[in-house]
Amino acid sequence: QVQLVESGGGLVQAGDSLRLSCAASGRTFSSYAMGWFRQAPGKEREFVAAIGRSVGNIYYADSVKGRFTISRDNAKNTVYLQMNSLRPEDTAVYYCSATTLTTIATITRLGGYDYWGQGTQVTVSS
């Protein structure tokens, strides 16, 4: 069992940057692959980015490639999502998630995750 708490959301203008953080409980943070998902009103939750347990295992949705960067600090039990060049279509509730699975097919899909945070609202105005 692991508890996840997101922070860093807010209201920004198009073109601005925002950094989200996700703090995890427990002493086995390095054993989990971590993911970020988002859900806009009237839409299903979608994959944004994921980072595996090993160096180099990082994946992004096509819609955020070149703009968002996911990273983790195992010493702080924290995963980050740096969001640059934000667009109005990025507006959504952003969720942090954790899984013990390791394949690309599982950690880039909603069904691959067992643990979820409560979400943090990101609103981008035009």
Side-chain angles (χ1 to χ4, degrees):
Q1 190 74 30
V2 61
Q3 286 75 46
L4 307 172
V5 180
E6 304 96 335
S7 62
L11 174 63
V12 298
Q13 297 283 334
D16 285 352
S17 296
L18 206 57
R19 187 197 195 199
L20 305 183
S21 298
C22 174
S25 66
R27 304 174 68 182
T28 58
F29 178 71
S30 62
S31 297
Y32 293 90
M34 304 295 296
W36 285 98
F37 291 76
R38 66 187 182 186
Q39 187 167 21
K43 296 185 178 181
E44 65 181 13
R45 194 170 299 185
E46 66 176 355
F47 170 76
V48 175
I51 184 167
R53 297 177 297 175
S54 302
V55 175
N57 294 334
I58 295 177
Y59 312 98
Y60 297 99
D62 289 341
S63 59
V64 306
K65 285 182 179 177
R67 299 188 298 121
F68 291 9
T69 302
I70 188 172
S71 62
R72 66 191 297 166
D73 187 338
N74 289 345
K76 296 181 178 179
N77 280 13
T78 303
V79 62
Y80 305 95
L81 185 67
Q82 178 66 47
M83 305 184 294
N84 298 326
S85 302
L86 283 164
R87 306 165 180 169
E89 53 262 41
D90 294 318
T91 296
V93 176
Y94 283 70
Y95 296 91
C96 177
S97 56
T99 180
T100 57
L101 300 175
T102 59
T103 68
I104 296 174
T106 53
I107 71 173
T108 60
R109 290 184 170 87
L110 178 65
Y113 289 83
D114 296 314
Y115 307 103
W116 297 86
Q118 285 68 47
T120 185
Q121 177 71 49
V122 173
T123 302
V124 185
S125 62
S126 60

